[in-house]
Amino acid sequence: MTNYQLAVEERTHTGKGFSRKLRAEGKIPAVVYGFGQEAAHVQAAARDVEKMLSEPVHLIDLNFGTSTKTVIVKDVNRDPVKGKLLHVDFYAVDLKKKLEVTVPVRIVGEDQRPSDGGIVEHLVWEIPVLCLPTDIPDALDVDVSGLRIDETLTVGELKLPDGVEALADPAEALVKIVLPRAAAAAEGEAAEAEASSEGGAEE
């Protein structure tokens, strides 16, 4: 996959006041660090950053005019009330060195499950993995097509892409097949009624 291209400019000023001024001009303040280098303060057009964040992007080429740095998005800061983008942290990577990143967990095969009345309970939405920057997967697929009620699929049972190592506990359950609450409640009431009836018969 081709790296995403994002044009940035170095910024010589920092601080909350300057950042507010940038955002008023339609720009977003950002910082670039990692890969044994000093932090660099940059700015980019807000519309370009939002577009980048809306796409399934892993590796980004930050273009500083004639120079380029390959990075990943490390952190995104938004206004907790309005959701407005405030700041982005970029982490410069060594393409030959493995790094730890968080990857989404994606459920597949739900339509192929047996018709047993169960539903898929998504327990974990993302897990940390170790891999080269060029091997970062879009998502880790959890195939639930063969699971039945009360069965789970754990981290250790994931089929990982070549070069990708899961860092979560292998015993951690990612999904479980459960009965809908109403069905489970009805089943519990029926069991209680049956137990009560059997108890009365024995007396």
Side-chain angles (χ1 to χ4, degrees), residues 22-34:
L22 275 181
R23 288 190 283 269
E25 296 173 353
K27 298 179 181 179
I28 295 298
V31 64
V32 186
Y33 58 92

Side-chain angles (χ1 to χ4, degrees), residues 1-192:
M1 181 182 293
T2 303
N3 295 356
Y4 193 93
Q5 305 297 309
L6 179 67
V8 298
E9 301 173 320
E10 293 188 36
R11 57 187 169 100
T12 56
H13 295 81
T14 59
K16 293 183 178 179
F18 185 74
S19 294
R20 283 195 293 268
K21 181 181 177 182
L22 275 181
R23 288 190 283 269
E25 296 173 353
K27 298 179 181 179
I28 295 298
V31 64
V32 186
Y33 58 92
F35 196 11
Q37 67 176 32
E38 293 184 5
H41 299 281
V42 300
Q43 63 193 46
R47 63 178 182 278
D48 293 343
V49 179
E50 287 284 20
K51 183 176 185 298
M52 177 197 70
L53 294 174
S54 70
E55 300 186 13
V57 173
H58 295 307
L59 293 181
I60 305 148
D61 285 340
L62 296 184
N63 298 312
F64 300 75
T66 58
S67 64
T68 299
K69 289 182 181 179
T70 301
V71 303
I72 60 172
V73 174
K74 193 68 173 179
D75 189 44
V76 177
N77 185 12
R78 292 184 180 276
D79 183 289
V81 178
K82 298 180 180 179
K84 185 177 180 180
L85 183 62
L86 300 177
H87 190 275
V88 179
D89 286 6
F90 293 107
Y91 185 82
V93 298
D94 180 348
L95 296 180
K96 297 181 180 180
K97 184 178 180 180
K98 291 185 176 182
L99 75 163
E100 180 180 338
V101 293
T102 301
V103 178
V105 171
R106 179 173 59 197
I107 293 176
V108 298
E110 191 169 0
D111 294 342
Q112 286 74 51
R113 278 198 62 256
S115 299
D116 54 9
I119 59 174
V120 179
E121 185 176 12
H122 204 156
L123 302 174
V124 176
W125 293 88
E126 57 185 21
I127 64 171
V129 302
L130 184 69
C131 63
L132 290 174
T134 50
D135 291 335
I136 300 174
D138 291 335
L140 297 176
D141 289 342
V142 179
D143 187 355
V144 300
S145 60
L147 295 184
R148 296 182 177 275
I149 292 175
D150 288 334
E151 291 184 338
T152 62
L153 195 146
T154 65
V155 171
E157 296 172 303
L158 272 177
K159 293 182 179 179
L160 298 171
D162 291 341
V164 178
E165 174 188 352
L167 298 179
D169 183 352
E172 183 175 13
L174 299 172
V175 297
K176 181 178 182 180
I177 307 302
V178 298
L179 286 173
R181 289 185 179 181
E187 186 177 272
E189 292 173 0
E192 289 180 6

